[in-house]
Amino acid sequence: MLVFLALAFVPTVSSIGPQLGDLPKRPVDTLTLVLVAGQAAPLAIRRRWPTVCLALTGAAFALHQSLGYPDTFAGIGFYLALFTVGAHQIRHRRAIALVATAAYAGLAIALHLLGSPSQIQVFVAFYLSLVVMWMAGTAMRRWRAEEAEHRRLSVEVATADERARIARDLHDVVTHHVTAMVVQADAAQYLLEGAPDRVGEGLSAISDTGRRALTELRHLLGVLEATGDSATTDRSPTLGRVSDLVERARLSGQPVELSRRGDQREHAVDIELAAYRVVQEALTNAMKYATGHRTRVEIDDHDDRIEIEVTTDGTTQGAPAVAPGGRGLSGLRERVRMLDGELVAAARPEGGFRVHALIPSRRQA
């Protein structure tokens, strides 16, 4: 607003502005200054009250043209007011357009009656220029609405992805630890009957498993709080803690062998976590459906990928230690697929089960 008002009094540009009617010019007087200010000053409220801004600038412009004052740079404020209405006015847009059109028609008739030499084509061309400004504002308004909708959908997709990730983590944590606790409780009951002096070992294993489950759940809750602390990321499970998984499975009575090959370098957090979850889910299923059967965990750290294979020799007779069902493997496949990897889980022809995963790797930045 101040720029338009200032330029209206700069000699080199003050006479540059819209002109309509071409009436004989009259000298500048006090009313001229008032009308110049009336075409520029209302721009200060153009975003908050666009219709009021258009009405004030339009009235000042009409009087300025009807009285035959010299052209002024402040007249461009009328175009800007039209653009603002197109871009920011929300309600009664059609009614405002009709009223503005009627007001312009009245101005054209008034100028003609005052002796304007302009032909009807001139008035039509000027009206079309005003329509262009309105439509430019409308296009801006539509673009902003589309951008806002795009951002809203992006937020929804990101929220849904984060919810799915947290759901997978909760499933992995709860299922693995609860399964281990069930197996350990069954083992403790067996020891109570056959070797009472070793019951304390079984109960201690259950207690340790429960504490680890609480620790990982607290970590997930810390992620949900979104505090931005990097410490929560540092507590995410990594490949280096796979040996802890194996040791806990052994304490639950599952005979597990671990073999790691490669340079065992660090990877990005999401890759380390996905690899850890593959082993965790495979061991969970082994304790569920192949309790007491030999299980092998093989991890190969290649230059461009991590290869993981977990196999069991067979299944026990009768019901599994934990009732089947859940979304562990499907969620795990989705997690690996998001990293452009692949996971295959299937029964072995010679008996037992095999989980095989390939996860593309990249060095940690």
Side-chain angles (χ1 to χ4, degrees):
M1 181 270 292
L2 293 177
V3 174
F4 275 89
L5 193 58
L7 291 176
F9 296 99
V10 176
T12 55
V13 297
S14 59
S15 60
I16 300 175
Q19 189 274 334
L20 182 65
D22 199 19
L23 294 175
K25 304 302 179 185
R26 65 169 63 186
V28 176
D29 54 22
T30 304
L31 182 57
T32 305
L33 302 179
V34 173
L35 293 178
V36 168
Q39 294 175 75
L43 295 177
I45 61 171
R46 68 186 186 278
R47 294 184 183 274
R48 188 171 184 180
W49 296 301
T51 304
V52 175
C53 175
L54 177 61
L56 293 175
T57 56
F61 176 82
L63 286 174
H64 190 275
Q65 298 296 321
S66 299
L67 295 175
Y69 286 118
D71 300 340
T72 173
F73 188 84
I76 298 178
F78 180 47
Y79 286 100
L80 185 56
L82 274 170
F83 177 87
T84 304
V85 170
H88 296 282
Q89 184 64 33
I90 299 176
R91 303 175 59 187
H92 311 302
R93 293 172 60 87
R94 183 172 299 179
I96 294 171
L98 292 175
V99 171
T101 299
Y104 177 79
L107 174 62
I109 293 173
L111 291 174
H112 177 73
L113 295 177
L114 290 172
S116 171
S118 299
Q119 300 296 318
I120 187 172
Q121 296 91 336
V122 175
F123 292 106
V124 171
F126 193 88
Y127 175 76
L128 291 178
S129 69
L130 300 180
V131 171
V132 168
M133 292 303 298
W134 176 290
M135 295 305 296
T138 301
M140 175 63 72
R141 180 173 181 269
R142 185 178 297 112
W143 177 80
R144 286 202 312 268
E146 291 175 353
E147 282 296 304
E149 179 67 11
H150 176 72
R151 287 193 298 270
R152 185 187 67 82
L153 292 176
S154 298
V155 170
E156 287 186 357
V157 171
T159 301
D161 290 344
E162 186 65 9
R163 285 175 177 172
R165 186 190 68 80
I166 293 173
R168 289 193 297 268
D169 282 345
L170 283 173
H171 172 275
D172 294 340
V173 171
V174 175
T175 303
H176 174 78
H177 290 296
V178 171
T179 299
M181 292 171 71
V182 170
V183 173
Q184 289 163 356
D186 289 344
Q189 184 177 4
Y190 173 77
L191 291 174
L192 183 62
E193 297 174 356
D197 55 323
R198 298 183 58 191
V199 172
E201 297 178 7
L203 295 178
S204 177
I206 295 174
S207 177
D208 291 341
T209 302
R211 289 191 181 93
R212 281 187 288 267
L214 288 174
T215 299
E216 293 200 33
L217 287 174
R218 288 193 190 101
H219 165 66
L220 288 177
L221 291 176
V223 173
L224 287 173
E225 289 175 357
T227 58
D229 295 337
S230 60
T232 57
T233 301
D234 295 338
R235 292 196 301 268
S236 297
T238 62
L239 267 177
R241 294 173 56 186
V242 166
S243 57
D244 295 338
L245 285 176
V246 172
E247 185 60 30
R248 291 199 293 269
R250 289 169 180 167
L251 290 175
S252 301
Q254 189 74 13
V256 182
E257 300 173 4
L258 173 63
S259 172
R260 289 202 63 177
R261 292 183 289 271
D263 55 9
Q264 301 184 20
R265 55 189 169 88
E266 288 188 356
H267 303 274
V269 174
D270 52 348
I271 294 175
E272 293 260 347
L273 181 58
Y276 179 91
R277 296 302 187 199
V278 169
V279 178
Q280 185 180 56
E281 180 66 23
L283 290 179
T284 299
N285 287 335
M287 288 187 289
K288 277 185 181 181
Y289 310 121
T291 306
H293 283 249
R294 189 163 67 107
T295 304
R296 290 176 297 278
V297 178
E298 298 179 1
I299 302 175
D300 290 339
D301 201 334
H302 302 281
D303 291 337
D304 59 344
R305 68 190 186 280
I306 299 174
E307 184 175 2
I308 302 171
E309 183 170 271
V310 182
T311 57
T312 57
D313 282 348
T315 60
T316 57
Q317 299 297 322
V322 179
R327 46 163 293 172
L329 287 176
S330 61
L332 198 58
R333 286 193 185 94
E334 181 63 24
R335 183 194 292 273
V336 173
R337 188 180 300 116
M338 290 174 64
L339 297 173
D340 296 326
E342 60 180 21
L343 182 141
V344 177
R348 302 168 65 198
E350 64 272 23
F353 205 76
R354 174 178 178 266
V355 175
H356 182 262
L358 284 175
I359 304 176
S361 65
R362 57 183 185 274
R363 291 189 180 274
Q364 191 175 31

